[in-house]
Amino acid sequence: GAVVSQHPSWVICKSGTSVKIECRSLDFQATTMFWYRQFPKQSLMLMATSNEGSKATYEQGVEKDKFLINHASLTLSTLTVTSAHPEDSSFYICSASDGPSNQPQHFGDGTRLSIL
Amino acid sequence: AQTVTQSQPEMSVQEAETVTLSCTYDTSESNYYLFWYKQPPSRQMILVIRQEAYKQQNATENRFSVNFQKAAKSFSLKISDSQLGDTAMYFCAFTEYSGGGADGLTFGKGTHLIIQP
């Protein structure tokens, strides 16, 4: 149980385009979803926290207009990288939780984003 | 703000040996949770073990155990009888207890563990 599906797993696109990444909880209701960013050989950095039906809470230094997050249902959150540029190239990972902080977050398999 | 420090960028041991990965953290909170996650080359994040700060007993999951020293703010991971499949990046992670829903994780920089045959 507790499967999180992230799509697409790899996307390559031209500079200036917008890219949408989906994160779905397949067998549970995710009251909270998180988006992380991981640069090569580095750690995961929390970008934002989203609760179903509410506006996302962004971490300091993360541009909310660049990284649009929508959590419209208990099973789906989306991250849209708007007007993407090469510096936005990274590995993006979502996680989902159906309980309080002592419960482990369930991670998606990540999306490798490459902007040419 | 919380910080998590992993001082060992890379470690290498022989198969079947025991290895300990270190992790220290800094927080002003009294109630929080600590985790170790494994990230193999596939980059999938896999939960290895977790510890609630209010529990004095160290968590154990089969070959994996932790040494949680709350006063020292230390949370090391011991892997016994290491196996080739244990080769991966290991991240120590922290989250505070906010009394409501889940909070985001703060990760250390990771330790690349290599198990040699």
Side-chain angles (χ1 to χ4, degrees), chain A residues 5-85:
Chain A
S5 172
Q6 190 171 338
H7 179 81
S9 57
W10 196 357
V11 57
I12 303 172
C13 59
K14 294 181 178 180
S15 183
T17 59
S18 292
V19 179
K20 180 183 284 189
I21 303 170
E22 292 187 348
C23 180
R24 293 181 184 271
S25 57
L26 299 185
D27 51 3
F28 67 100
Q29 293 186 324
T31 50
T32 309
M33 286 187 169
F34 304 90
W35 288 94
Y36 297 86
R37 182 174 182 177
Q38 185 178 29
F39 289 105
K41 297 185 179 182
Q42 293 190 27
S43 187
L44 284 76
M45 299 294 293
L46 178 66
M47 298 176 65
T49 301
S50 73
N51 292 291
E52 185 263 340
S54 303
K55 287 186 177 180
T57 301
Y58 290 81
E59 295 299 302
Q60 191 173 9
V62 178
E63 299 176 60
K64 60 180 68 177
D65 294 330
K66 160 69 79 174
F67 301 100
L68 300 180
I69 292 171
N70 183 276
H71 191 169
S73 77
L74 284 172
T75 59
L76 174 65
S77 177
T78 60
L79 167 67
T80 301
V81 184
T82 61
S83 187
H85 292 284

Side-chain angles (χ1 to χ4, degrees), chain B residues 42-84:
Chain B
S42 66
R43 305 192 78 171
Q44 182 184 16
M45 295 295 287
I46 302 167
L47 176 68
V48 175
I49 200 165
R50 60 179 169 167
Q51 175 84 40
E52 290 93 340
Y54 63 86
K55 289 187 177 179
Q56 292 188 341
Q57 186 174 8
N58 290 323
T60 300
E61 289 286 344
N62 300 314
R63 297 183 296 109
F64 300 89
S65 61
V66 298
N67 183 1
F68 173 50
Q69 301 290 325
K70 190 172 184 179
K73 294 181 181 175
S74 172
F75 183 61
S76 61
L77 173 69
K78 184 172 84 171
I79 305 175
S80 304
D81 185 27
S82 58
Q83 301 174 359
L84 296 178

